Amino acid sequence: MEFTEAYKQTGPCCFSPNARYIAVAVDYRLMIRDTLSFKVVQLFSCLDKISYIEWALDSEYILCGLYKRPMIQAWSLTQPEWTCKIDEGPAGIAYARWSPDSRHILTTSEFQLRLTVWSLVNTACVHVQWPKHGSKGVSFTKDGKFAAICTRRDCKDYINLLSCHSWEIMGVFAVDTLDMTDIQWSPDDSAIVIGDSPLEYKVLIYSPDGRCLFKYQAYESGLGVKSVSWSPCGQFLAVGSYDQMLRVLNHLTWKTFAEFMHLSTVRAPCCAAVFKEVDEPLQLDMSELCLDDDFMGGSDAPGGHFKVRYEVMEVPITFPFQKPPADKPNPKQGIECTPLCVRLWVQKCGGASKVDRTLRDL
């Protein structure tokens, strides 16, 4: 692996969706660098230290969360003179995100009092009362036409469906959850998956019109679901649990198609490659050492590329494992599943077409 020279950074950094730029926070300044040359293409000055950065999907706009104020500032790469400032006043701002059209910003106030949709086109705003979460609980359809927002009132969870064109509420329905954790639209926008509290194992599949399509429960006792993720094709749903198991459901019958155990030891035969970083002592060649004028003047030496070497380990191999303490909340155990792991699993099975044939055979 090769690394560039080190650049100053005091806050978050984020790549643009088109991978052409990288935004780096340095105190109250936002630096936009080119990913190939790492030259600064834009420099913006915010009113306070930057706590959060998020690019718009079109890579033209970027927002900065100044949560100490609390305030949101947005900038444009194509129009550097354009500025935007969002201030919720006493309600505060706990989180901010872009809409799929890159022309609206959604902010969640402190204590989840309301979710506000701010328009960058006509400066209008729409409020949704009692959002369930700050950074979670909002999901958009793949085409960007609708949004599903988790809300809670009167000790019960609800799903609000909004049109991303007018931001009007298209429908509201209650869900059978104890404490809803998050929601996700399926890639084909035909269903919504809902995760319940970790204290109770429950995964619910709802249609956009509010019908419960399926209720999945692997076991009753113990901590339940930790993460849920759709496959990119939308034909499979991966459910990671606190019992170190990954269960995959198919979209036809919503039954368990496969189960995988997260083991700490990898044994042969195995098609996985295990890489280990090798620490090598620093070796300096003093024979050609010379002190030039720049070094004597105190300037920094030109930065070069640094390399790190990795070795492929032979199986069997045991990974370090630390048992989480039983007397502390939110134990660091269980399966965190992402779209990447589901995609790799589908590729390992030979592609989605082969998995479909297997389902039909079953």
Side-chain angles (χ1 to χ4, degrees):
M1 297 182 64
E2 295 186 359
F3 298 89
T4 65
E5 60 179 297
Y7 294 92
K8 185 178 180 181
Q9 173 196 359
T10 60
C13 64
C14 183
F15 282 96
S16 62
N18 60 7
R20 291 183 55 189
Y21 307 102
I22 179 173
V24 182
V26 182
D27 294 328
Y28 62 91
R29 294 177 299 172
L30 178 67
M31 292 185 178
I32 309 298
R33 295 182 179 271
D34 184 87
T35 54
L36 297 179
S37 63
F38 261 77
K39 293 183 178 179
V40 178
V41 296
Q42 290 290 350
L43 179 63
F44 302 106
S45 296
C46 297
L47 298 177
D48 206 331
K49 187 175 181 180
I50 302 173
S51 305
Y52 176 73
I53 292 176
E54 182 174 318
W55 285 90
L57 291 181
D58 62 358
S59 300
E60 182 179 347
Y61 295 91
I62 185 171
L63 67 81
C64 300
L66 316 178
Y67 293 157
K68 288 186 177 180
R69 286 268 177 169
M71 184 184 298
I72 298 294
Q73 284 189 271
W75 310 94
S76 172
L77 266 66
T78 58
Q79 305 176 37
E81 68 280 357
W82 180 89
T83 59
C84 173
K85 183 176 68 174
I86 298 176
D87 190 349
E88 280 275 14
I93 298 177
Y95 192 76
R97 58 170 63 84
W98 286 99
S99 64
D101 63 357
S102 302
R103 296 300 180 268
H104 295 82
I105 296 177
L106 285 71
T107 61
T108 305
S109 65
E110 295 285 354
F111 307 107
Q112 290 76 55
L113 297 178
R114 67 185 183 187
L115 183 144
T116 307
V117 182
W118 305 84
S119 174
L120 304 184
V121 180
N122 53 16
T123 66
C125 64
V126 178
H127 300 291
V128 178
Q129 299 294 328
W130 318 121
K132 180 67 184 292
H133 303 285
S135 59
K136 301 186 300 180
V138 177
S139 180
F140 298 95
T141 56
K142 189 175 182 179
D143 57 10
K145 294 182 179 180
F146 299 97
I149 301 177
C150 302
T151 60
R152 186 176 180 87
R153 64 178 186 273
D154 299 330
C155 300
K156 192 167 184 60
D157 295 327
Y158 294 86
I159 299 295
N160 292 33
L161 297 181
L162 281 76
S163 169
C164 294
H165 175 70
S166 60
W167 295 102
E168 296 180 354
I169 296 180
M170 309 300 295
V172 180
F173 58 88
V175 293
D176 184 22
T177 54
L178 178 66
D179 186 12
M180 180 168 44
T181 56
D182 204 358
I183 57 174
Q184 290 185 40
W185 282 93
S186 62
D188 59 358
D189 302 334
S190 63
I192 303 173
V193 61
I194 300 173
D196 204 352
S197 169
L199 301 178
E200 181 179 358
Y201 198 113
K202 185 189 296 184
V203 176
L204 301 172
I205 311 295
Y206 276 84
S207 64
D209 59 2
R211 292 180 295 112
C212 183
L213 302 178
F214 189 73
K215 173 184 174 181
Y216 177 70
Q217 188 174 15
Y219 52 84
E220 295 183 358
S221 59
L223 294 178
V225 178
K226 185 172 185 179
S227 58
V228 178
S229 179
W230 290 98
S231 65
C233 61
Q235 299 174 357
F236 305 99
L237 180 66
V239 182
S241 310
Y242 280 93
D243 64 346
Q244 304 296 96
M245 290 286 292
L246 174 66
R247 298 170 175 87
V248 182
L249 312 180
N250 71 80
H251 76 299
L252 299 178
T253 62
W254 300 113
K255 301 298 182 181
T256 304
F257 172 71
E259 293 184 353
F260 300 95
M261 173 67 75
H262 184 67
L263 302 175
S264 60
T265 302
V266 178
R267 297 183 174 88
C270 179
C271 58
V274 181
F275 296 88
K276 182 180 180 180
E277 182 178 344
V278 179
D279 296 330
E280 295 182 345
L282 182 62
Q283 298 179 359
L284 297 177
D285 187 5
M286 307 294 292
S287 60
E288 299 181 0
L289 180 63
C290 62
L291 302 180
D292 54 13
D293 296 337
D294 294 337
F295 184 82
M296 296 298 293
S299 61
D300 294 336
H305 290 268
F306 303 91
K307 292 186 178 181
V308 177
R309 190 166 66 89
Y310 289 84
E311 288 184 352
V312 179
M313 305 299 294
E314 296 183 356
V315 294
I317 183 173
T318 302
F319 299 105
F321 176 76
Q322 183 179 3
K323 188 176 181 180
D327 58 342
K328 293 185 178 180
N330 302 320
K332 294 183 179 181
Q333 69 180 56
I335 303 297
E336 285 282 358
C337 52
T338 63
L340 175 61
C341 79
V342 179
R343 184 182 296 111
L344 294 176
W345 176 82
V346 174
Q347 293 175 352
K348 182 178 178 181
C349 292
S353 60
K354 183 176 180 181
V355 176
D356 289 340
R357 292 195 299 270
T358 306
L359 286 175
R360 287 194 292 269
D361 294 339
L362 294 176

